[in-house]
Amino acid sequence: MSFLRRRSAATPAGPDFDVLAMDPGDWPGNLGAGLLPAPDGSCQGVFLRYDLFGGRGPAMIIGNLPDGSPARELGEGQVPFEVAQLLLALENEEPVEVTGVEDTPVMQGDNLLIVRRLKLSEDRISCVQFDRSDNVLVTIASWDRPITDDLYQLLKPLPAELFQQG
């Protein structure tokens, strides 16, 4: 994924890495974005929440966590940050844990991704993860909808302006 590169910003107004996600214009509902700040003001991750129209709730969360982000540090069986955010948005307080992991090769354009499909104790949640060439971990968590290979073709870097403060 050579088109993904680190950016250096004069001030930490947004992430210093490209955010890989679906373009908001390609989604039929509402989009919300959140930044995970570190104490020094740097960005330790970005997650995008895709909701459906009509108040039908969150359908998907896509997260981008750089190397060293505390949100990447998980205990045995602990769900990824994005799954926890999806459960929080759904007001689901039932305990959920990772029960298994399966690696699958997937093509995204000319790039081969090794996608980890996480099996969860809540089978209505689909979750996949892959590492980008710039060591950013991308996690996709979906509620009640399977994550199919064609979704990877919709992923692209979003404009940096989307995440600037001010």
Side-chain angles (χ1 to χ4, degrees), residues 28-44:
N30 300 319
L31 172 71
L35 302 177
L36 300 173
D40 66 359
S42 65
C43 178
Q44 293 297 305

Side-chain angles (χ1 to χ4, degrees), residues 141-156:
S142 174
W143 176 255
D144 211 21
R145 291 163 189 82
I147 298 172
T148 58
D149 290 354
D150 58 343
L151 174 64
Y152 305 111
Q153 305 312 313
L154 298 175
L155 299 177
K156 55 188 160 190

Side-chain angles (χ1 to χ4, degrees), residues 1 15 24 30 34-35 40 44 47 57 59 61-62 72-73 76 78-79 82 106 114 121 136 152 154 161:
M1 301 188 120
N30 300 319
L35 302 177
D40 66 359
Q44 293 297 305
F47 65 96
I61 292 182
I62 300 178
R72 289 176 68 153
E73 298 171 14
E76 183 72 28
Q78 188 176 358
V79 297
E82 295 79 3
V106 172
I114 302 301
S121 57
V136 172
Y152 305 111
L154 298 175
E161 304 81 54

Side-chain angles (χ1 to χ4, degrees), residues 27 30-34 47-51 57-62 85 89:
W27 181 256
N30 300 319
L31 172 71
F47 65 96
L48 295 103
R49 177 175 143 175
Y50 297 87
D51 291 349
M60 185 175 1
I61 292 182
I62 300 178
Q85 288 296 307

Side-chain angles (χ1 to χ4, degrees), residues 107-112 152-153:
M107 291 301 293
Q108 185 198 30
D110 294 335
N111 298 303
L112 176 66
Y152 305 111
Q153 305 312 313

Side-chain angles (χ1 to χ4, degrees), residues 3-5 9 36 56 66 88 96 98 102 112 156 158 160 166:
F3 62 89
L4 297 173
R5 71 234 175 261
L36 300 173
R56 289 180 280 168
L88 187 66
V96 175
V98 176
E102 176 184 299
L112 176 66
K156 55 188 160 190
L158 297 180

